[in-house]
Amino acid sequence: MSLFYTDLNRQYVELREIDKMGRKAVDSNQVFIDGLPVPVADRIGEEGRGFEYILHGMNPERILIAAEAIGLGRAALNRATRYANERIVFNRPIGQNQAIQHPLAESWMALQAAELMVQRAAWKYDHGEPCGADANAAKYLAAEAGFDACQRAVMTHGGYGYAKEYHVERYLREIMIPRIAPISPQLILCYIAEKVLGLPKSY
Ligand SMILES: Cc1cc2nc3c(=O)[nH]c(=O)nc-3n(C[C@H](O)[C@H](O)[C@H](O)COP(=O)(O)OP(=O)(O)OC[C@H]3O[C@@H](n4cnc5c(N)ncnc54)[C@H](O)[C@@H]3O)c2cc1C
């Protein structure tokens, strides 16, 4: 496999846009390439080393996506706490109830802990150390913590959580991407089980 970055010549390349639940700012496409001439000058690196180059980018991609998930989780948590302070039911803010407070407090801790794992993975990557386990763990922990925070933000808003006006429904849709991509949570568990714990490969 070789990598290239070349002009999009629609005579040889067909794009079919995929309608998605979120990430509207960036479209995603099915790409069909048939007989596209690629000048050697447009090849990235050496011929046949493309997969190696892609592998090199996978750990930083996981770290980056993890950081994104934490940011999204925190944005959701901020909106949830603001609303919990403002919304009065039975003469008191709903945020005065521990059933509202505790899940949000737990999300804050989970996001903080995940961020430390992100920093650890990023530090190792920056220093040229093997960081596969840390990058995968960071992506898993951050995406799950971010998802919990986004879901709790919707629930904290009650019916308004479903309304676009309060933005948390959008956060919930967007946090699904760091959960699914660039690798599913299940495959991260498989990786940790095999590569870190030394258990037999399961897939
Ligand atoms: C918005 C978006 C953008 C994307 N952008 C890119 C991109 O730029 N480049 C790119 O290469 N990819 C991209 N992807 C693809 C993404 O990386 C994959 O969708 C993701 O890795 C999951 O793989 P899959 O879709 O093949 O799911 P599958 O592997 O088919 O998995 C489906 C489900 O089964 C589970 N599963 C599969 N195998 C096992 C197992 N052995 N044990 C337990 N559970 C299992 C999975 O966890 C998942 O829940 C993008 C996806 C999205 C949603």
Side-chain angles (χ1 to χ4, degrees), residues 102-176:
H102 287 183
L104 300 181
E106 192 186 51
S107 275
W108 181 85
M109 291 190 289
L111 290 165
Q112 293 290 105
E115 190 194 9
L116 287 178
M117 186 54 93
V118 173
Q119 297 292 347
R120 178 186 161 93
W123 188 92
K124 283 192 173 185
Y125 180 76
D126 283 346
H127 288 79
E129 293 185 16
C131 66
D134 303 86
N136 275 288
K139 199 301 254 190
Y140 180 97
L141 294 171
E144 298 308 306
F147 174 73
D148 286 342
C150 290
Q151 186 183 220
R152 287 166 181 176
V154 170
M155 295 307 288
T156 302
H157 282 73
Y160 281 132
Y162 210 68
K164 289 200 181 285
E165 184 184 345
Y166 287 83
H167 295 284
V168 287
E169 62 81 31
R170 177 166 62 86
Y171 296 162
L172 184 59
R173 285 187 285 118
E174 296 297 339
I175 197 66
M176 291 310 290

Side-chain angles (χ1 to χ4, degrees), residues 20 23 28 61 177 180-187 190 202-203:
K20 309 189 296 292
R23 208 199 192 202
S28 300
E61 185 186 26
I177 302 174
I180 295 169
I183 180 175
S184 68
Q186 290 81 7
L187 263 288
C190 290
S202 62
Y203 54 96

Side-chain angles (χ1 to χ4, degrees), residues 2-202:
S2 301
L3 298 185
F4 58 84
Y5 182 79
T6 196
D7 290 337
L8 179 63
N9 184 341
R10 287 176 190 266
Q11 195 183 334
Y12 303 100
V13 183
E14 185 192 342
L15 302 178
R16 291 185 204 156
E17 189 170 346
I18 301 169
D19 199 13
K20 309 189 296 292
M21 68 188 278
R23 208 199 192 202
K24 304 288 186 188
V26 184
D27 56 83
S28 300
N29 299 277
Q30 288 182 291
V31 182
F32 302 88
I33 303 174
D34 190 5
L36 175 72
V38 179
V40 172
D42 290 355
R43 192 180 67 211
I44 297 172
E46 293 174 31
E47 187 170 353
R49 295 187 64 188
F51 191 62
E52 199 183 312
Y53 299 145
I54 289 176
L55 282 181
H56 184 71
M58 283 182 170
N59 286 328
E61 185 186 26
R62 284 158 174 55
I63 298 168
L64 182 138
I65 297 288
E68 175 192 326
I70 288 167
L72 203 45
R74 286 191 176 143
L77 198 55
N78 284 341
R79 287 199 180 263
T81 49
R82 194 194 314 163
Y83 188 81
N85 271 317
E86 287 170 0
R87 169 70 169 151
I88 309 291
V89 180
F90 300 126
N91 300 317
R92 52 195 252 155
I94 56 168
Q96 202 172 342
N97 301 308
Q98 290 183 352
I100 294 282
Q101 288 184 0
H102 287 183
L104 300 181
E106 192 186 51
S107 275
W108 181 85
M109 291 190 289
L111 290 165
Q112 293 290 105
E115 190 194 9
L116 287 178
M117 186 54 93
V118 173
Q119 297 292 347
R120 178 186 161 93
W123 188 92
K124 283 192 173 185
Y125 180 76
D126 283 346
H127 288 79
E129 293 185 16
C131 66
D134 303 86
N136 275 288
K139 199 301 254 190
Y140 180 97
L141 294 171
E144 298 308 306
F147 174 73
D148 286 342
C150 290
Q151 186 183 220
R152 287 166 181 176
V154 170
M155 295 307 288
T156 302
H157 282 73
Y160 281 132
Y162 210 68
K164 289 200 181 285
E165 184 184 345
Y166 287 83
H167 295 284
V168 287
E169 62 81 31
R170 177 166 62 86
Y171 296 162
L172 184 59
R173 285 187 285 118
E174 296 297 339
I175 197 66
M176 291 310 290
I177 302 174
R179 271 195 111 193
I180 295 169
I183 180 175
S184 68
Q186 290 81 7
L187 263 288
I188 289 180
L189 295 174
C190 290
Y191 174 91
I192 298 294
E194 182 195 341
K195 303 289 184 191
V196 179
L197 302 180
L199 294 168
K201 186 171 179 168
S202 62

